[in-house]
Amino acid sequence: PSVTYVIQFRPPVGRHLHYGMQMDIAGAKPVKIGAGFSVAATKHAAGKYTMVTTIDSMTIAGMPADQVQKMISGTKVTQVVDESGHIISTEAVGPMKAMMQGGSVGSAGAIFPKHPVHVGETWHGSAEAQGAKADVIVKLIGVKSDGGKQLAKLRLIPAAEAHASKSGTITITIETATGILRTMEMSSDAGPAGPGSKMHLLVRLR
């Protein structure tokens, strides 16, 4: 019998996690964005977590820093998430609330398996971004230990593109015991700037 792993969403209440994000869009109009944000579970009651995400800093290539600061100041997202990572409600305030409506970058969505899984196993989940839900196929690529914590590396492929030869993939590393996101890397040949644009996104726990 192969070794199986329990991968669950149990974020520590009251602990602030700080992330760095780098996004590059290549194409006719290249875009480079860097950001720092923090995520915290502020409450756990009746099987639900309250997750609060705030943007701490942002740099956008070619845009004055004070203009960027105005854009992000006061932006906050409060979400209620159940123990499987499903987002129940989202409330965003501040100038960038439209962009953040899709939710916290610190939560990868409802991608947690309902039972222990072995390396190479796949299961169905759903990920949310910008308010849109997408069914994804999740695969456990590997498990490693880091500083006494067990980390799972997962690959997410949109179910609609599972049979496409080229599709955007998302690779994430999370702590198996808590579901805390360590890294998320996303690359896509069809970037938001239209055909021919490429996008690369990297989020990392600081």
Side-chain angles (χ1 to χ4, degrees):
S2 57
V3 180
T4 58
Y5 302 92
V6 173
I7 304 172
Q8 59 183 10
F9 184 64
R10 297 288 182 271
V13 174
R15 186 172 150 206
H16 284 260
L17 303 167
H18 296 277
Y19 290 92
M21 180 194 94
Q22 187 66 47
M23 183 162 136
D24 292 283
I25 299 170
K29 289 185 176 170
V31 179
K32 225 181 173 55
I33 299 174
F37 57 93
S38 44
V39 181
T42 57
K43 192 169 123 186
H44 181 214
K48 297 182 186 78
Y49 289 93
T50 301
M51 306 288 293
V52 177
T53 304
T54 49
I55 305 177
D56 303 323
S57 62
M58 188 178 274
T59 54
I60 300 174
M63 194 185 270
D66 56 344
Q67 208 175 328
V68 178
Q69 194 52 43
K70 266 199 200 93
M71 269 172 55
I72 65 168
S73 87
T75 299
K76 182 171 99 165
V77 183
T78 304
Q79 284 178 313
V80 178
V81 183
D82 72 12
E83 289 177 345
S84 64
H86 279 280
I87 295 167
I88 297 163
S89 69
T90 301
E91 184 196 351
V93 295
M96 284 189 75
K97 70 176 187 193
M99 191 186 130
M100 299 289 289
Q101 202 64 50
S104 152
V105 198
S107 145
I111 53 157
F112 297 91
K114 293 178 172 60
H115 53 82
V117 288
H118 57 78
V119 173
E121 192 168 341
T122 59
W123 62 93
H124 281 267
S126 77
E128 297 198 25
Q130 270 74 51
K133 270 196 176 105
D135 288 321
V136 290
I137 292 165
V138 187
K139 183 175 189 176
L140 177 58
I141 304 293
V143 175
K144 66 174 184 181
S145 177
D146 174 42
K149 299 261 197 304
Q150 193 181 65
L151 306 182
K153 188 174 183 179
L154 307 176
R155 182 170 295 144
L156 278 57
I157 299 169
E161 296 174 22
H163 303 294
S165 55
K166 280 181 87 169
S167 67
T169 57
I170 302 176
T171 308
I172 67 171
T173 307
I174 57 176
E175 294 180 9
T176 56
T178 57
I180 286 177
L181 185 74
R182 286 290 193 93
T183 63
M184 173 167 85
E185 189 162 13
M186 182 172 148
S187 51
S188 166
D189 287 340
S197 74
K198 285 187 180 343
M199 183 183 87
H200 181 253
L201 172 76
L202 180 67
V203 175
R204 183 173 297 216
L205 182 67
R206 287 180 167 160

